[in-house]
Amino acid sequence: MKSIMLLSTVFLSSFTAASSLTFFGNTHDQAILEDDNKVPGDNPLTYCSDPKDYLLAIDHVNLTPNPPEAGKNLTVEASGTLAQEIEDGAYVLLIVKYGFITLLDQKADLCAQIKNVNLECPLREGLTSLTKEIPLPSEIPPGKYSVHADAYTKDDKRITCLDASVHFSRH
């Protein structure tokens, strides 16, 4: 059950940590990705590169509503398989942008971040699924938000790398 939470944790905990700054996104100078890099399901997520060597194999991620809306609850339903246990020392490289303005560019302790969604390391390998509801603040300023999340084990094995983009509009 905990392993698929890693997927949402990469984004959801960064969203929680950044408060109302952002959710999902496309990054700085990256090329436009083909449809075959889209994460399966009803979501704005794309893989940064071919996911065949990622430790997290995502079956699907569904967001309700998609796209997310300020002031409403966001429900994330996902499933996938983690190929190995994720231990303390895992990290995520996060870039959060509002339009062209970088709001956050940091290396974060993945195990510390997942505590924001009531999880803790180690995350066990195997098949799992999750449903998580997140209240989005109504104070999110309108505009395009982006997040790039590149997660690694303590031994620098790539867990997953995801990009997405969401446009919040005025109420």
Side-chain angles (χ1 to χ4, degrees):
M1 172 84 171
K2 289 184 178 181
S3 46
I4 193 63
M5 287 297 280
L6 179 62
L7 164 69
S8 65
T9 298
V10 168
F11 287 106
L12 303 181
S13 65
S14 65
F15 180 72
T16 303
S19 292
S20 63
L21 295 179
T22 184
F23 202 79
F24 301 127
N26 219 349
T27 63
H28 47 323
D29 301 313
Q30 293 194 352
I32 295 174
L33 297 171
E34 301 295 323
D35 282 345
D36 59 349
N37 279 338
K38 184 180 180 329
V39 172
D42 187 15
N43 65 73
L45 300 170
T46 57
Y47 296 109
C48 305
S49 61
D50 187 344
K52 69 179 174 54
D53 295 323
Y54 293 177
L55 294 178
L56 180 61
I58 301 168
D59 293 326
H60 71 273
V61 177
N62 293 322
L63 303 183
T64 306
N66 182 29
E69 297 177 30
K72 295 193 176 179
N73 287 341
L74 174 66
T75 302
V76 178
E77 186 270 320
S79 70
T81 303
L82 194 56
Q84 76 176 53
E85 184 173 279
I86 305 302
E87 301 171 329
D88 283 325
Y91 61 94
V92 59
L93 304 174
L94 288 172
I95 300 173
V96 177
K97 291 187 173 192
Y98 174 69
F100 293 109
I101 300 167
T102 299
L103 301 173
L104 182 68
D105 187 349
Q106 74 175 25
K107 179 179 179 179
D109 179 334
L110 184 62
C111 293
Q113 292 297 311
I114 64 173
K115 291 178 182 178
N116 292 325
V117 290
N118 302 321
L119 292 176
E120 58 185 48
C121 286
L123 296 172
R124 305 284 178 219
E125 72 177 86
L127 177 65
T128 192
S129 62
L130 77 87
T131 301
K132 181 75 175 172
E133 189 170 296
I134 303 136
L136 299 181
S138 59
E139 298 83 12
I140 297 174
K144 180 182 176 186
Y145 290 82
S146 20
V147 171
H148 170 80
D150 199 0
Y152 293 88
T153 66
K154 68 179 183 178
D155 301 319
D156 297 322
K157 293 180 184 173
R158 188 177 252 175
I159 299 167
T160 193
C161 184
L162 301 170
D163 291 317
S165 181
V166 170
H167 185 271
F168 285 98
S169 57
R170 297 190 193 279
H171 295 343

XYZ file of all heavy atoms in Angstrom, residues 71-135:
494
model
N -9.494 25.988 -4.159
C -10.637 26.013 -3.258
C -11.454 24.735 -3.236
O -12.458 24.658 -2.536
N -11.050 23.736 -3.993
C -11.774 22.457 -4.021
C -10.851 21.345 -3.564
O -9.635 21.459 -3.603
C -12.283 22.159 -5.431
C -13.322 23.150 -5.903
C -14.008 22.661 -7.125
C -15.109 23.654 -7.490
N -15.819 23.252 -8.687
N -11.441 20.249 -3.149
C -10.655 19.070 -2.799
C -10.179 18.385 -4.069
O -10.932 18.275 -5.033
C -11.475 18.098 -1.958
C -11.694 18.596 -0.552
O -10.980 19.471 -0.076
N -12.691 18.044 0.110
N -8.942 17.921 -4.045
C -8.379 17.149 -5.139
C -8.263 15.708 -4.662
O -7.665 15.440 -3.623
C -6.991 17.675 -5.509
C -6.225 16.854 -6.550
C -6.931 16.910 -7.899
C -4.796 17.352 -6.660
N -8.846 14.780 -5.408
C -8.736 13.367 -5.088
C -7.756 12.726 -6.062
O -7.885 12.889 -7.277
C -10.108 12.664 -5.176
O -11.005 13.314 -4.273
C -10.001 11.188 -4.810
N -6.784 12.032 -5.506
C -5.787 11.311 -6.299
C -6.020 9.825 -6.070
O -6.044 9.364 -4.936
C -4.350 11.680 -5.868
C -3.339 10.888 -6.679
C -4.110 13.171 -5.985
N -6.207 9.083 -7.159
C -6.369 7.636 -7.100
C -5.304 7.066 -8.020
O -5.189 7.475 -9.187
C -7.777 7.250 -7.556
C -8.115 5.784 -7.395
C -7.749 4.972 -8.628
O -7.950 5.453 -9.741
O -7.246 3.839 -8.450
N -4.459 6.177 -7.484
C -3.317 5.696 -8.261
C -2.990 4.254 -7.923
O -3.334 3.759 -6.849
C -2.099 6.579 -7.988
N -2.290 3.597 -8.856
C -1.772 2.266 -8.583
C -0.471 2.064 -9.356
O -0.234 2.710 -10.381
C -2.783 1.174 -8.932
O -2.942 1.082 -10.324
N 0.358 1.189 -8.831
C 1.636 0.908 -9.467
C 2.438 -0.086 -8.649
O 1.988 -0.576 -7.615
N 3.655 -0.351 -9.116
C 4.520 -1.331 -8.475
C 5.896 -0.733 -8.241
O 6.504 -0.186 -9.166
C 4.649 -2.590 -9.359
O 3.344 -3.112 -9.602
C 5.502 -3.650 -8.679
N 6.372 -0.854 -7.017
C 7.704 -0.401 -6.655
C 8.635 -1.610 -6.718
O 8.378 -2.635 -6.085
C 7.671 0.197 -5.248
C 8.854 1.023 -4.797
C 9.146 2.174 -5.753
C 8.593 1.573 -3.407
N 9.720 -1.501 -7.482
C 10.610 -2.639 -7.733
C 11.542 -2.957 -6.570
O 12.071 -4.066 -6.504
C 11.434 -2.383 -8.992
N 11.757 -1.999 -5.671
C 12.601 -2.273 -4.511
C 12.172 -1.378 -3.367
O 11.481 -0.384 -3.566
C 14.086 -2.071 -4.824
C 14.531 -0.625 -4.892
C 16.035 -0.494 -5.120
O 16.567 -1.082 -6.053
N 16.691 0.287 -4.286
N 12.584 -1.749 -2.162
C 12.279 -0.959 -0.970
C 12.992 0.392 -1.050
O 14.131 0.470 -1.509
C 12.758 -1.727 0.267
C 12.409 -1.064 1.568
C 12.762 -1.941 2.756
O 11.962 -2.843 3.067
O 13.836 -1.708 3.348
N 12.307 1.429 -0.609
C 12.887 2.773 -0.572
C 13.201 3.089 0.884
O 12.314 3.079 1.735
C 11.919 3.827 -1.154
C 11.488 3.444 -2.572
C 12.547 5.212 -1.103
C 12.608 3.277 -3.571
N 14.476 3.383 1.154
C 14.952 3.585 2.527
C 15.297 5.046 2.786
O 15.377 5.857 1.857
C 16.199 2.724 2.755
C 15.960 1.241 2.547
C 17.246 0.440 2.574
O 18.304 0.970 2.185
O 17.182 -0.728 3.001
N 15.558 5.346 4.078
C 16.047 6.670 4.451
C 17.240 7.025 3.582
O 18.056 6.160 3.270
C 16.466 6.708 5.923
C 15.271 6.793 6.863
O 14.285 7.448 6.511
O 15.350 6.192 7.951
N 17.323 8.270 3.188
C 18.387 8.726 2.308
C 17.897 8.964 0.894
O 18.587 9.582 0.086
N 16.682 8.483 0.580
C 16.094 8.766 -0.731
C 15.822 10.269 -0.809
O 15.590 10.928 0.199
C 14.795 7.978 -0.906
N 15.862 10.792 -2.024
C 15.675 12.234 -2.183
C 14.913 12.547 -3.464
O 14.779 11.706 -4.350
C 17.028 12.960 -2.175
C 17.970 12.557 -3.279
C 18.022 13.279 -4.470
C 18.807 11.453 -3.141
C 18.892 12.911 -5.492
C 19.676 11.081 -4.149
C 19.721 11.811 -5.330
O 20.568 11.449 -6.339
N 14.415 13.763 -3.540
C 13.711 14.229 -4.727
C 14.252 15.603 -5.097
O 14.448 16.462 -4.236
C 12.174 14.239 -4.520
C 11.768 15.133 -3.370
C 11.448 14.626 -5.796
N 14.540 15.775 -6.371
C 14.947 17.072 -6.902
C 13.679 17.757 -7.397
O 13.007 17.245 -8.293
C 15.948 16.893 -8.047
C 17.198 16.087 -7.702
C 18.045 15.855 -8.954
C 18.011 16.776 -6.619
N 13.343 18.887 -6.797
C 12.088 19.590 -7.094
C 12.353 20.947 -7.720
O 13.197 21.698 -7.236
C 11.294 19.822 -5.812
C 10.630 18.630 -5.170
C 10.060 19.018 -3.819
C 9.534 18.097 -6.065
N 11.616 21.232 -8.770
C 11.596 22.573 -9.346
C 10.131 22.967 -9.452
O 9.340 22.271 -10.086
C 12.261 22.629 -10.726
C 13.724 22.205 -10.628
C 12.138 24.046 -11.311
C 14.418 22.061 -11.965
N 9.773 24.060 -8.803
C 8.408 24.563 -8.806
C 8.426 25.950 -9.438
O 9.219 26.804 -9.042
C 7.852 24.653 -7.369
C 6.453 25.258 -7.364
C 7.848 23.278 -6.717
N 7.550 26.148 -10.421
C 7.495 27.437 -11.111
C 6.069 27.972 -11.159
O 5.105 27.216 -11.213
C 8.024 27.318 -12.533
C 9.511 27.072 -12.612
C 9.984 27.145 -14.037
C 11.494 27.064 -14.106
N 11.974 27.412 -15.436
N 5.990 29.294 -11.172
C 4.744 30.022 -11.434
C 5.043 30.821 -12.698
O 5.829 31.769 -12.662
C 4.411 30.939 -10.260
C 3.219 31.836 -10.490
C 1.945 31.313 -10.578
C 3.379 33.206 -10.611
C 0.845 32.133 -10.773
C 2.288 34.037 -10.800
C 1.023 33.495 -10.884
O -0.059 34.307 -11.087
N 4.489 30.385 -13.831
C 4.879 30.977 -15.104
C 6.359 30.700 -15.327
O 6.815 29.572 -15.259
N 7.138 31.770 -15.555
C 8.581 31.623 -15.747
C 9.367 31.849 -14.467
O 10.587 31.751 -14.448
C 9.073 32.611 -16.816
C 8.536 32.300 -18.180
C 7.586 33.118 -18.768
C 8.957 31.176 -18.871
C 7.081 32.832 -20.026
C 8.458 30.876 -20.119
C 7.515 31.710 -20.709
N 8.679 32.155 -13.383
C 9.333 32.467 -12.108
C 9.537 31.181 -11.308
O 8.584 30.458 -11.020
C 8.497 33.463 -11.285
C 8.317 34.766 -12.059
C 9.148 33.723 -9.931
C 7.265 35.682 -11.475
N 10.789 30.908 -10.953
C 11.092 29.738 -10.138
C 10.779 30.051 -8.682
O 11.342 30.979 -8.106
C 12.573 29.333 -10.286
O 12.820 29.012 -11.658
C 12.905 28.119 -9.409
N 9.857 29.287 -8.110
C 9.474 29.456 -6.708
C 10.293 28.562 -5.790
O 10.519 28.896 -4.629
C 7.988 29.132 -6.518
C 7.007 29.966 -7.335
C 5.592 29.421 -7.163
C 7.080 31.421 -6.931
N 10.719 27.424 -6.316
C 11.442 26.450 -5.512
C 12.359 25.650 -6.416
O 11.953 25.221 -7.497
C 10.430 25.515 -4.832
C 10.934 24.447 -3.896
C 11.510 25.058 -2.630
C 9.790 23.503 -3.538
N 13.589 25.477 -5.997
C 14.558 24.646 -6.703
C 15.427 24.031 -5.620
O 16.335 24.679 -5.099
C 15.400 25.496 -7.670
C 16.311 24.651 -8.555
O 16.461 23.434 -8.295
O 16.885 25.224 -9.495
N 15.093 22.805 -5.234
C 15.784 22.211 -4.093
C 15.875 20.702 -4.184
O 15.128 20.056 -4.917
C 15.086 22.579 -2.785
C 13.772 21.848 -2.552
C 13.173 22.146 -1.186
O 13.440 23.174 -0.599
N 12.351 21.241 -0.702
N 16.821 20.174 -3.412
C 16.939 18.736 -3.192
C 16.306 18.473 -1.835
O 16.757 19.008 -0.824
C 18.406 18.331 -3.186
C 18.646 16.855 -2.950
C 20.137 16.542 -2.986
C 20.414 15.082 -2.728
N 21.872 14.807 -2.804
N 15.240 17.682 -1.815
C 14.497 17.434 -0.578
C 14.629 15.977 -0.157
O 14.711 15.071 -0.993
C 13.025 17.785 -0.774
N 14.643 15.750 1.142
C 14.660 14.413 1.722
C 13.293 13.781 1.470
O 12.284 14.231 2.022
C 14.955 14.528 3.215
C 14.967 13.193 3.929
O 14.304 12.234 3.488
O 15.641 13.115 4.976
N 13.247 12.763 0.633
C 11.980 12.147 0.270
C 11.278 11.554 1.487
O 10.066 11.702 1.647
C 12.192 11.073 -0.799
C 10.924 10.411 -1.339
C 10.029 11.435 -2.019
C 11.283 9.303 -2.294
N 12.028 10.920 2.369
C 11.424 10.307 3.549
C 10.837 11.363 4.492
O 9.810 11.119 5.121
C 12.432 9.424 4.266
S 12.883 7.966 3.275
N 11.447 12.534 4.581
C 10.889 13.624 5.384
C 9.630 14.174 4.716
O 8.646 14.490 5.388
C 11.918 14.735 5.582
N 9.641 14.282 3.388
C 8.493 14.820 2.655
C 7.273 13.909 2.740
O 6.151 14.398 2.825
C 8.860 15.058 1.183
C 9.850 16.165 0.962
C 9.314 17.507 1.394
O 8.205 17.895 1.035
N 10.090 18.210 2.188
N 7.473 12.596 2.721
C 6.309 11.707 2.718
C 5.573 11.718 4.052
O 4.432 11.289 4.128
C 6.658 10.271 2.286
C 7.594 9.595 3.258
C 7.195 10.266 0.877
C 7.834 8.120 2.958
N 6.200 12.251 5.083
C 5.502 12.408 6.359
C 4.328 13.369 6.214
O 3.355 13.288 6.966
C 6.463 12.871 7.445
C 7.460 11.793 7.819
C 8.449 12.248 8.855
C 9.441 11.121 9.135
N 10.462 11.500 10.091
N 4.399 14.277 5.219
C 3.292 15.201 4.947
C 2.032 14.485 4.478
O 0.953 15.064 4.498
C 3.706 16.242 3.898
C 4.760 17.184 4.415
O 4.775 17.543 5.589
N 5.670 17.583 3.537
N 2.174 13.250 4.017
C 1.005 12.461 3.604
C 0.892 11.191 4.446
O 0.421 10.153 3.991
C 1.026 12.143 2.088
C 0.770 13.396 1.275
C 2.322 11.470 1.687
N 1.344 11.314 5.705
C 1.194 10.257 6.709
C 1.873 8.940 6.351
O 1.344 7.867 6.619
C -0.288 10.024 7.021
C -0.962 11.267 7.512
O -0.390 12.035 8.278
N -2.177 11.508 7.052
N 3.049 9.017 5.754
C 3.835 7.834 5.442
C 5.209 7.964 6.077
O 5.608 9.039 6.504
C 4.012 7.684 3.928
C 2.770 7.357 3.143
C 3.089 7.351 1.657
C 2.214 6.008 3.561
N 5.943 6.868 6.096
C 7.317 6.913 6.568
C 8.127 5.837 5.852
O 7.586 4.859 5.351
C 7.388 6.732 8.082
C 6.791 5.449 8.596
C 6.774 5.383 10.107
O 6.349 6.352 10.740
O 7.211 4.344 10.639
N 9.412 6.065 5.789
C 10.324 5.086 5.198
C 10.625 4.002 6.225
O 10.595 4.282 7.414
C 11.621 5.765 4.750
S 11.410 6.763 3.261
N 10.892 2.781 5.812
C 11.040 2.370 4.421
C 9.686 2.118 3.747
O 8.721 1.729 4.402
C 11.826 1.060 4.528
C 11.431 0.494 5.861
C 11.199 1.689 6.748
N 9.651 2.361 2.443
C 8.498 2.017 1.623
C 8.786 0.651 1.014
O 9.832 0.444 0.413
C 8.294 3.055 0.512
C 7.959 4.463 0.979
C 7.983 5.429 -0.203
C 6.608 4.490 1.657
N 7.888 -0.285 1.191
C 8.100 -1.673 0.767
C 7.891 -1.839 -0.732
O 7.048 -1.175 -1.327
C 7.149 -2.611 1.499
C 7.238 -2.506 3.005
C 8.470 -3.194 3.522
N 8.544 -3.030 4.964
C 9.657 -2.814 5.622
N 10.789 -2.740 4.987
N 9.648 -2.677 6.921
N 8.632 -2.765 -1.330
C 8.457 -3.065 -2.747
C 7.147 -3.809 -2.968
O 6.600 -4.410 -2.050
C 9.636 -3.866 -3.290
C 9.696 -5.298 -2.837
C 10.848 -6.048 -3.475
O 11.963 -5.980 -2.933
O 10.619 -6.704 -4.514
N 6.644 -3.737 -4.209
C 5.457 -4.491 -4.577
C 4.337 -3.649 -5.150
O 4.441 -2.431 -5.275
N 3.249 -4.337 -5.491
C 2.060 -3.732 -6.090
C 1.214 -3.068 -5.016
O 1.038 -3.623 -3.932
C 1.234 -4.816 -6.794
C -0.086 -4.390 -7.423
C 0.167 -3.415 -8.562
C -0.831 -5.616 -7.923
N 0.690 -1.907 -5.316
C -0.144 -1.197 -4.355
C -1.025 -0.174 -5.048
O -0.869 0.104 -6.243
C 0.743 -0.521 -3.286
O -0.079 -0.080 -2.223
C 1.519 0.628 -3.877
N -1.974 0.370 -4.300
C -2.850 1.422 -4.817
C -3.179 2.377 -3.687
O -2.954 2.077 -2.511
C -4.119 0.820 -5.405
O -4.837 0.142 -4.406
N -3.697 3.551 -4.045
C -4.035 4.541 -3.044
C -5.155 5.432 -3.531
O -5.389 5.577 -4.731
C -2.832 5.425 -2.694
C -2.444 6.527 -3.680
C -3.203 7.819 -3.432
C -0.971 6.795 -3.600
N -5.828 6.023 -2.571
C -6.747 7.121 -2.820
C -6.473 8.146 -1.740
O -6.434 7.806 -0.559
C -8.219 6.665 -2.766
O -8.417 5.654 -3.757
C -9.163 7.823 -3.021
N -6.214 9.381 -2.138
C -5.873 10.452 -1.198
C -6.623 11.714 -1.587
O -6.667 12.076 -2.755
C -4.347 10.701 -1.236
C -3.867 11.758 -0.301
C -3.843 11.269 1.117
C -3.242 12.315 2.035
N -3.353 11.968 3.427
N -7.235 12.368 -0.601
C -7.940 13.630 -0.834
C -7.130 14.768 -0.234
O -6.693 14.688 0.909
C -9.337 13.583 -0.218
C -10.178 14.780 -0.615
C -11.627 14.602 -0.215
O -12.271 13.683 -0.751
O -12.085 15.384 0.632
N -6.937 15.820 -1.035
C -6.142 16.964 -0.618
C -6.954 18.232 -0.798
O -7.394 18.529 -1.911
C -4.856 17.074 -1.464
C -4.064 15.781 -1.356
C -4.016 18.272 -1.067
C -3.529 15.306 -2.637
N -7.155 18.996 0.275
C -7.847 20.280 0.116
C -6.898 21.303 -0.503
O -5.785 21.503 -0.023
C -8.226 20.657 1.549
C -7.297 19.896 2.428
C -6.857 18.680 1.664
